[in-house]
């Protein structure tokens, strides 16, 4: 797989790019309040190996 980040919605990981099972994001554009892109330098110290490709954090509340 390519170098794609993990996706986190409201604090829960939804997609881990190194795994085969991926959940679809059932999210409407109107629900999204904030999107934060975390670089590898910021995500690895916070999330360990889950952040090795960066993280996209989506907030809906």
């Amino acid at each position: 797989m390519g170098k794609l980040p993990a996706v986190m919605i409201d604090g829960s990981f939804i997609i881990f790019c190194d795994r085969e099972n991926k959940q679809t994001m059932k999210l409407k554009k109107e629900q999204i309040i904030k999107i934060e892109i975390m670089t590898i330098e910021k995500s690895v110290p916070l999330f360990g190996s889950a952040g090795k490709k960066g993280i996209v954090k989506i907030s809906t509340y």
Side-chain angles (χ1 to χ4, degrees):
M1 256 205 165
K3 190 174 180 174
L4 298 172
V7 177
M8 176 184 269
I9 298 177
D10 296 329
S12 298
F13 282 103
I14 301 300
I15 298 175
F16 293 94
C17 291
D18 358 348
R19 296 190 183 161
E20 287 295 318
N21 326 351
K22 295 180 182 155
Q23 298 174 347
T24 58
M25 290 185 280
K26 296 177 182 172
L27 204 60
K28 294 179 182 150
K29 187 168 64 171
E30 306 83 46
Q31 294 175 291
I32 298 173
I33 294 173
K34 181 180 177 183
I35 297 175
E36 180 183 354
I37 308 297
M38 296 184 71
T39 62
I40 296 167
E41 293 79 23
K42 290 182 180 180
S43 61
V44 169
L46 294 173
F47 300 103
S49 63
K52 69 183 175 187
K53 295 180 182 178
I55 295 178
V56 176
K57 290 174 64 178
I58 300 172
S59 299
T60 61
Y61 57 85

